[in-house]
Amino acid sequence: MDFKSYKYDLVLLHAPSVYDFRKTSIMYGPISDVVPSSSVFEMYPIGFATISRYLKNKGFRVRILNLAVKMLLNPEFDPEKFLKKINARAFGIDLHWLCHAHGSVEVAKLVKKLHPDSAVIFGGISATYFNKELMEYPFIDYCIRGDSTELLLEQLLIALKNGTALDKIENLCWKNDQGEVIYNPFTFIPDSLDGIYVDYKNIFLSAIKDLDFSGYLPFASWVDYPVTALVMSRGCNYRCNVCGGSNQFYQNHCSRKKTVYRSPEDIGKEIKILSRFINGPLLLIGDVFLNGKKYSSDLFDEFERLNVSNQIIFELSAPPARDELEHMAKAIPSFNLILSPESHDERVRSLFGRNFTNKQTEEMIETSIKLGVGRIDLFFMIGLPEQTRQSVRDTIKYCDYILGKYAYSKKVAVYIAPMAPFLDPGSTVFEDPEKYGYKLFYKTLEQHRMALLQPSWKYILNYETKWMTRDDIVESSYEAAIELNRVKMAHGIIEQKKAISQEKRIIQARDLCRYIDKILENKNESVRNDLLKDLKQNMDIFSVSTICNMKDLEWAVMFFGIKAPKFVRRIFFFFWSLIDKMMG
Ligand code: B12
């Protein structure tokens, strides 16, 4: 039995990508330009919210602590001082995205130093993939594998409290008294997501109770742009070769044979609560059309019944049939679509793992415009099989064609970004790079941890291809960004003044990368380090919104995001920041 009293049973910690990003000089480049977070990747997994809600319902005291946001928003915030005051039986740290390889492990080391009696638990899909390496660290006690850990965490917390045996907790990696790592069978793969909810009201109340607003924020700019994710499924039906969340990944590394979906009624319940106090866009995680017609149809009926006014964003793996789009449009007044053709070249797209045609894409765009879509975002990628620099240029020409064709609607947006910082671990190509024309620079967790400390994103990239070297990928990314920016200006999507300043920014970012290359040629290490240190400020400036302006990606937040005018939110946020500073 454990007699020590703890304030929390579990504190869920989200680390920055690189622990001391505030001190290190790294030109992260455009690695996070097409997601709402910064290059610190401060967004915590949605699983933090489902875990917290599940455990709180069972009577556990759980706190979410987004260390990355706190460090980002307050330059004086001292993580060590802050963590020292947190009294918890267990600290759960996510290594969901591999880009947290450095930060998550460093935070674990720090937590163990400050709280040697508390348990340090890892989880997330990258932790699942790298579980063996993680368990070698003396400061990591447990790793829970798999994409569904709510119940397993409950069992572990009970065992920690009562000092009972751990050998029956499925998917758990732990250390026995001799320090040997025991890998319990990886057999818990639930085929239902019943009971998996995000309770945003509770998160908000917890922030007040813990007097910690920033620690609960999903990402730094959420107050201004409260886009909110909603879990619809876990797993994926698609077999995209470079994706570490593909069907093969879930089968081979998460033991999941079948994608699991939440019931439309459960999703409806969550949306109902959410839409009461958030007006921002809601992003559904998973493709609504992959679970058969009945599922999408039931979900749309649920939306219609609820009469939700929020913008709903659907991410599609392929263009859906016309009648499916019609049902979506009828049920949801503000529906938005995201589709990733990845390349204009259908062969490159099919080597990536998606087999739809440009004709189908264009038919989808036309139908959706007629049906009143809010916006259609098309995403293209650099770093694909058989893709050359010329092929990337041709993709931009295709973007030009698409924007011209649908200019009348003002509904279509196009983006291009490099596959960065990493080719996903566990993806088909990562497992057998040569077969697919790829070369991997880093394979292990430790190699990726060290890669994240490299001075520019060129050296952080863990791959190059037979068709594009790392240099090509970097140069091609900036070249494509310049061209696409011009195309958008020509179509009146970006006004001239903004486009000119954006182009200047892209060129400065590219030149900075080239200058870093030059610095690295210097044989003298201390001269090299000094020169890089001097670039810190510029590196930070040119690691955000270079390849595209992140603001352009935001779906318009109707009038105000959280149901309070912007100035009220700002005042609220200001006072919270003061409280945060006092507490930190
Ligand atoms: C939705 C999604 C997003 C959303 C994130 C929403 C959110 N807050 O979670 C958005 C669009 C913002 C996003 C962004 C990115 N993503 Co993403 N994303 C996905 C997607 C499509 C689904 C993920 C999912 O199903 N989650 C649900 C389940 C699996 O996770 P969960 O509920 O959050 O957590 C459960 C478990 O993972 C575990 N767990 C998680 N954390 C912890 C912690 C502890 C202590 C424990 C015990 C358990 C645990 O338990 C949870 C609950 O049971 C996957 C592809 C796929 N099909 O998997 C890619 C995927 C996860 N993303 C990926 C990547 C690379 C990124 C980016 C780095 C891309 C980029 N360069 O910008 C960014 C990172 C953003 C950041 N952190 O700031 C890769 C990750 C590969 C890897 N191993 O690193 C994936 C696999 C595929 C891909 N290439 O897109 N992503």
Side-chain angles (χ1 to χ4, degrees):
M1 288 288 270
D2 168 17
F3 294 106
K4 192 167 169 189
S5 67
Y6 292 98
K7 183 166 181 205
Y8 302 104
D9 296 299
L10 177 69
V11 171
L12 290 165
L13 281 177
H14 181 63
S17 169
V18 170
Y19 176 65
D20 37 10
F21 69 95
R22 296 183 297 188
K23 293 188 197 130
T24 39
S25 299
I26 300 171
M27 166 66 175
Y28 295 100
I31 57 174
S32 66
D33 271 7
V34 289
V35 292
S37 19
S38 71
S39 51
V40 168
F41 290 114
E42 76 273 16
M43 190 186 291
Y44 56 73
I46 186 89
F48 269 24
T50 56
I51 290 171
S52 148
R53 187 258 174 200
Y54 178 90
L55 292 175
K56 277 188 175 168
N57 247 21
K58 301 272 176 178
F60 292 94
R61 294 153 304 167
V62 184
R63 175 170 180 174
I64 292 178
L65 184 41
N66 193 338
L67 216 55
V69 163
K70 293 184 87 67
M71 290 171 79
L72 198 59
L73 292 181
N74 178 4
E76 278 127 53
F77 173 77
D78 180 345
E80 183 156 353
K81 212 168 120 198
F82 192 86
L83 282 172
K84 201 170 176 186
K85 290 186 285 187
I86 306 277
N87 173 22
R89 182 186 311 280
F91 289 87
I93 301 172
D94 68 286
L95 179 55
H96 191 57
W97 297 279
L98 183 58
C99 50
H100 295 94
H102 185 269
S104 62
V105 172
E106 292 305 310
V107 167
K109 201 189 288 174
L110 179 63
V111 165
K112 203 53 169 180
K113 182 182 102 180
L114 300 170
H115 304 284
D117 296 335
S118 302
V120 174
I121 309 166
F122 263 66
I125 59 172
S126 295
T128 301
Y129 184 82
F130 286 113
N131 67 83
K132 290 201 168 67
E133 265 191 77
L134 281 174
M135 291 304 289
E136 282 171 17
Y137 292 111
F139 42 86
I140 296 177
D141 304 307
Y142 306 97
C143 177
I144 305 184
R145 292 165 291 172
D147 61 25
S148 301
T149 61
E150 289 82 359
L151 176 81
L152 307 173
L153 263 166
E154 178 193 3
Q155 294 171 351
L156 177 59
L157 291 179
I158 292 172
L160 291 177
K161 187 171 179 197
N162 299 336
T164 46
L166 299 167
D167 57 342
K168 297 284 177 303
I169 304 176
E170 292 164 275
N171 305 10
L172 180 70
C173 313
W174 55 287
K175 290 169 184 166
N176 66 14
D177 291 342
Q178 289 74 48
E180 269 174 289
V181 182
I182 313 291
Y183 299 91
N184 290 353
F186 194 165
T187 41
F188 182 75
I189 307 102
D191 56 8
S192 148
L193 293 179
D194 289 351
I196 300 302
Y197 280 99
V198 176
D199 183 349
Y200 286 98
K201 195 168 117 207
N202 195 284
I203 291 184
F204 191 71
L205 294 176
S206 302
I208 295 175
K209 196 166 149 238
D210 290 325
L211 283 178
D212 183 13
F213 185 60
S214 55
Y216 280 88
L217 275 183
F219 55 94
S221 56
W222 190 84
V223 173
D224 280 337
Y225 180 54
V227 62
T228 306
L230 245 130
V231 183
M232 182 168 63
S233 58
R234 285 179 184 162
C236 186
N237 292 5
Y238 266 83
R239 302 176 69 82
C240 303
N241 285 333
V242 294
C243 179
S246 63
N247 186 276
Q248 303 97 303
F249 174 84
Y250 278 100
Q251 289 215 23
N252 298 338
H253 304 287
C254 283
S255 300
R256 175 170 295 292
K257 303 274 175 283
K258 224 174 139 245
T259 312
V260 62
Y261 289 83
R262 282 174 78 199
S263 73
E265 297 74 39
D266 277 6
I267 296 177
K269 273 187 213 154
E270 197 171 309
I271 288 184
K272 196 173 162 193
I273 300 171
L274 253 176
S275 59
R276 262 194 221 138
F277 66 104
I278 290 181
N279 230 356
L282 306 178
L283 167 72
L284 266 92
I285 297 182
D287 182 336
V288 66
F289 295 115
L290 290 186
N291 196 23
K293 272 210 159 140
K294 179 163 174 4
Y295 182 82
S296 57
S297 179
D298 288 353
L299 187 64
F300 295 152
D301 288 345
E302 191 64 26
F303 273 104
E304 194 165 10
R305 198 178 60 75
L306 291 168
N307 196 13
V308 184
S309 62
N310 296 59
Q311 305 209 43
I312 310 290
I313 301 149
F314 293 94
E315 199 172 0
L316 308 169
S317 325
R322 187 187 178 95
D323 62 324
E324 290 172 322
L325 282 173
E326 281 169 351
H327 196 171
M328 182 189 275
K330 183 173 156 279
I332 305 160
S334 315
F335 73 103
N336 297 270
L337 303 174
I338 298 180
L339 180 74
S340 301
E342 312 297 2
S343 165
H344 73 288
D345 184 336
E346 290 170 4
R347 177 167 166 78
V348 171
R349 186 181 309 145
S350 90
L351 288 171
F352 170 88
R354 300 215 167 158
N355 285 307
F356 55 89
T357 62
N358 291 341
K359 189 163 171 267
Q360 285 171 305
T361 306
E362 289 166 40
E363 278 167 4
M364 181 202 85
I365 297 174
E366 264 148 46
T367 310
S368 317
I369 292 172
K370 281 192 195 128
L371 292 170
V373 70
R375 207 173 85 191
I376 306 167
D377 286 352
L378 299 180
F379 283 90
F380 296 90
M381 196 142 77
I382 300 171
L384 303 173
E386 286 194 14
Q387 190 188 40
T388 58
R389 281 187 71 166
Q390 185 52 45
S391 173
V392 175
R393 286 180 199 122
D394 294 340
T395 294
I396 303 301
K397 282 191 195 136
Y398 181 68
C399 292
D400 186 12
Y401 157 77
I402 287 284
L403 290 178
K405 189 169 175 187
Y406 302 108
Y408 68 91
S409 72
K410 297 197 166 74
K411 301 280 187 194
V412 184
V414 291
Y415 306 98
I416 189 157
M419 181 166 71
F422 299 135
L423 166 68
D424 292 349
S427 61
T428 308
V429 174
F430 187 92
E431 296 303 290
D432 197 355
E434 288 80 21
K435 184 172 163 197
Y436 296 91
Y438 279 65
K439 178 176 166 192
L440 263 193
F441 294 99
Y442 319 116
K443 187 95 191 176
T444 64
L445 179 63
E446 189 55 28
Q447 286 167 346
H448 284 93
R449 268 167 48 71
M450 292 304 119
L452 283 161
L453 300 176
Q454 293 295 315
S456 95
W457 70 282
K458 182 170 109 183
Y459 305 95
I460 297 175
L461 279 181
N462 65 352
Y463 73 97
E464 65 184 19
T465 74
K466 230 162 84 181
W467 307 273
M468 275 203 253
T469 61
R470 288 203 283 199
D471 271 307
D472 286 328
I473 293 169
V474 171
E475 288 290 327
S476 175
S477 297
Y478 290 122
E479 185 186 30
I482 292 171
E483 271 315 305
L484 191 56
N485 186 51
R486 287 181 187 168
V487 164
K488 286 182 181 175
M489 182 179 80
H491 290 290
I493 293 167
I494 308 180
E495 58 190 60
Q496 199 183 16
K497 208 170 137 206
K498 250 176 98 183
I500 291 170
S501 93
Q502 181 66 16
E503 175 159 337
K504 217 170 120 195
R505 212 177 141 69
I506 302 167
I507 292 171
Q508 281 171 301
R510 184 202 59 196
D511 291 349
L512 186 57
C513 281
R514 289 179 182 170
Y515 181 50
I516 293 168
D517 287 347
K518 280 259 156 306
I519 293 178
L520 295 181
E521 282 168 17
N522 195 311
K523 299 260 179 309
N524 186 324
E525 193 183 341
S526 80
V527 173
R528 249 179 8 233
N529 288 343
D530 286 347
L531 288 169
L532 289 172
K533 217 164 146 195
D534 290 345
L535 288 180
K536 163 83 180 145
Q537 207 187 351
N538 274 350
M539 286 171 162
D540 289 348
I541 292 171
F542 293 109
S543 287
V544 182
S545 282
T546 47
I547 197 145
C548 66
N549 190 335
M550 282 168 83
K551 285 264 161 226
D552 294 341
L553 266 116
E554 298 182 356
W555 290 273
V557 177
M558 301 299 283
F559 307 113
F560 12 84
I562 308 169
K563 289 190 169 167
K566 203 165 185 167
F567 76 92
V568 174
R569 283 189 277 137
R570 279 283 165 86
I571 293 170
F572 172 81
F573 191 56
F574 173 74
F575 282 111
W576 264 109
S577 311
L578 284 183
I579 296 174
D580 262 8
K581 282 201 173 125
M582 274 152 54
M583 301 304 289

